[in-house]
Amino acid sequence: MSRTTDVVPKDRNQGKNQLRVGRLVKAHGLKGGLKLELYTDNPAGRFTPGAGFTVQVPEASPWHGKDITVREYRLMNGNPVVFFEDVDDRESAESLVKAILWIDQDVDEVEDDAWFDHQLVGLDVVRDDAVIGRVIRVEHFPAQDLLIVKSGENEVMVPFVAAIVPTVDVSAGRLIVTPPPGLFEELPDAADAEQPSGSDAEAPE
């Protein structure tokens, strides 16, 4: 699951943003069901019958500029599946595959273990108690989000997953990383690593 809470400003006067909560990945069954990739920690609360979503689709899609309303949400074989009003068959469901779902959200509403992009940008990146860079932007992909970290002269793409970014402390202005070897530095070539050293090394002729 993504750990960011995507928002697009909608009406600052009313304190509303658009929050990304899911992506429709494939049609399920013959009655309009769609398997859902969740971007929320509260799917049962987000996908209640009657909940409405703005649909992000290409301009050529018949759903472009339209909203959709949840008819039913359930888990089927462990997978989240959602049904929408006026989507009653597989053909209609196929037309929504890859659509991203957005919903109005109060700006002061934050889910557990999720952050807005603007909260992450500018945070110091700390490894072993040393600052090694700073977050300059966040990139969103279907599989996961990436933190783009400026480290020296390089931009490093850091998967925003708990195994690599276990701690985010917005109030302290930092996040802690435990990156795999080679993410922030070049690893020595295998040939260099195999060179003998010390008394076993051959002296140059």
Side-chain angles (χ1 to χ4, degrees):
M1 182 186 301
S2 299
R3 300 179 73 200
T4 57
T5 296
D6 282 358
V7 289
V8 174
K10 186 177 182 184
D11 189 337
R12 292 185 182 275
N13 293 329
Q14 296 181 10
K16 293 291 186 181
N17 284 317
Q18 284 273 293
L19 165 69
R20 181 186 68 162
V21 293
R23 186 173 73 98
L24 304 174
V25 294
K26 65 183 297 185
H28 181 85
L30 302 176
K31 297 182 179 180
L34 285 138
K35 286 188 177 180
L36 182 64
E37 179 182 357
L38 296 170
Y39 300 150
T40 173
D41 292 326
N42 183 25
R46 293 294 185 196
F47 293 93
T48 57
F53 297 90
T54 300
V55 184
Q56 180 184 336
V57 291
E59 290 186 7
S61 169
W63 295 98
H64 184 259
K66 296 183 179 180
D67 294 341
I68 56 176
T69 302
V70 173
R71 175 162 47 96
E72 184 181 358
Y73 170 83
R74 65 174 92 158
L75 291 178
M76 304 180 71
N77 296 324
N79 297 307
V81 175
V82 64
F83 297 81
F84 297 104
E85 293 181 3
D86 300 320
V87 182
D88 301 318
D89 53 37
R90 190 176 184 89
E91 183 178 355
S92 298
E94 292 281 3
S95 69
L96 278 164
V97 169
K98 297 184 179 180
I100 297 176
L101 305 178
W102 300 77
I103 193 169
D104 284 345
Q105 183 196 41
D106 293 329
V107 295
D108 58 355
E109 178 188 355
V110 180
E111 296 188 1
D112 293 337
D113 199 32
W115 296 268
F116 296 119
D117 288 5
H118 69 81
Q119 292 178 296
L120 300 169
V121 173
L123 295 184
D124 288 334
V125 178
V126 177
R127 178 178 64 178
D128 298 330
D129 296 324
V131 176
I132 59 173
R134 177 168 293 183
V135 179
I136 58 174
R137 67 181 183 277
V138 183
E139 300 284 354
H140 302 284
F141 295 94
Q144 63 188 11
D145 297 321
L146 294 176
L147 303 178
I148 309 304
V149 175
K150 184 73 171 179
S151 180
E153 297 300 317
N154 300 319
E155 290 188 7
V156 181
M157 294 184 295
V158 178
F160 193 34
V161 295
I164 297 176
V165 188
T167 302
V168 177
D169 191 340
V170 174
S171 62
R174 68 176 193 167
L175 55 83
I176 295 173
V177 295
T178 54
L183 186 60
F184 280 92
E185 65 282 307
E186 292 186 10
L187 295 176
D189 293 336
D192 294 338
E194 293 174 359
Q195 288 293 328
S197 59
S199 59
D200 293 333
E202 294 183 4
E205 295 182 357

